[in-house]
Amino acid sequence: MADDAGQDAPPKRTGRRRIGRWVGLALLVVLVAALAGVWLSRERIVTQVIADALAERGIEARYEIVSIGTREALLRNIEIGSAARPDLTVEQARVRVLHRFGFPRIDEVRLVRPRLYGSYRAGQLSFGALDPLIFPEEESQEPFELPDLSVAIDDGRALLDSDFGRVGFSLSGSGWLRGGFAGEL
C-alpha cells in the first residue's frame, strides 16, 4: 500500500499568506489608532469648526463645550456679540446629530433660555452681531427661507428697542422651522 498520510495533510502555508495577514493586521491597528485620535481630539475639532464658521461671518462668540458624543453635543453659556453687551445669550444648547449613510447632519437643536436683543430704529431692524446671519449682504432673487431644521426653544425671550419704546417677546415651542413649528408666543 502506498502512504496516503502525505496526501491528506493540509498544504503548508506560504509566506505570502502570512505577510498578507500581518499587513492587514497592521492596517487595522493604524485605522483604530486614527479613529481613537479623532475621537480623543473631537472637542478641539468641533471648536475649530465652530470658530472657523463664526470667523468667516465676522461674528464674535464665546461658549463652553460640555460634551461631544456620537449623537449629541452639549454647549453652555453661549454669548454672541460683544462681551459687555451680547446680542444673544443661550444658557444651554443641545445639538442632536443624525447619521445617514455615514454622513452626520444636525437633526435637532434644543435651546434652553435663549435671550435675544435687537433694535428697530428708523425702519431698520438689527440684531447686532447676528445681522450677517439673518440679513445676508448679497441680494438674492430667491425669497427668504428658514433652514430645514427641527428646533426646540425652552423659555425663549427677546427684547426689541425701538423708536416707539421697548417690546418684549416670550417663546416656547418646538418643530420644524419650514413647517410644523408649534409654540406659544
Side-chain angles (χ1 to χ4, degrees):
M1 277 197 157
D3 185 16
D4 291 333
Q7 293 176 358
D8 291 338
K12 291 185 178 182
R13 293 186 183 198
T14 63
R16 286 185 185 174
R17 279 190 181 176
R18 233 180 291 155
I19 291 173
R21 284 186 182 177
W22 282 110
V23 168
L25 182 62
L27 288 174
L28 181 64
V29 167
V30 167
L31 179 64
V32 168
L35 289 174
V38 168
W39 180 256
L40 293 173
S41 61
R42 68 191 182 279
E43 285 188 23
R44 186 179 51 77
I45 292 169
V46 169
T47 300
Q48 191 61 48
V49 167
I50 293 171
D52 288 348
L54 292 170
E56 181 179 303
R57 292 168 178 83
I59 297 173
E60 182 183 348
R62 290 152 308 284
Y63 51 89
E64 172 189 345
I65 296 176
V66 177
S67 66
I68 297 174
T70 57
R71 297 185 189 265
E72 187 174 84
L74 177 62
L75 289 87
R76 279 198 194 133
N77 304 323
I78 301 166
E79 292 181 349
I80 297 179
S82 73
R85 190 170 179 180
D87 299 306
L88 173 69
T89 62
V90 180
E91 186 176 299
Q92 179 176 301
R94 288 186 178 274
V95 180
R96 194 171 66 202
V97 177
L98 181 65
H99 297 278
R100 293 233 169 136
F101 304 110
F103 296 103
R105 75 174 187 87
I106 296 175
D107 183 44
E108 182 186 53
V109 176
R110 177 171 293 276
L111 303 175
V112 177
R113 285 185 271 296
R115 303 295 187 251
L116 178 64
Y117 303 94
S119 65
Y120 184 75
R121 303 272 186 221
Q124 184 70 28
L125 181 63
S126 175
F127 294 103
L130 295 170
D131 285 353
L133 291 175
I134 300 171
F135 311 113
E137 289 182 17
E138 56 195 49
E139 293 296 323
S140 172
Q141 299 301 329
E142 300 292 321
F144 174 76
E145 191 172 48
L146 290 169
D148 190 21
L149 183 65
S150 178
V151 174
I153 298 175
D154 297 333
D155 188 28
R157 308 268 171 104
L159 181 62
L160 192 64
D161 277 327
S162 75
D163 295 330
F164 311 104
R166 292 179 139 194
V167 180
F169 301 94
S170 175
L171 174 67
S172 289
S174 64
W176 291 92
L177 292 179
R178 285 197 187 165
F181 188 88
E184 191 173 306
L185 178 65

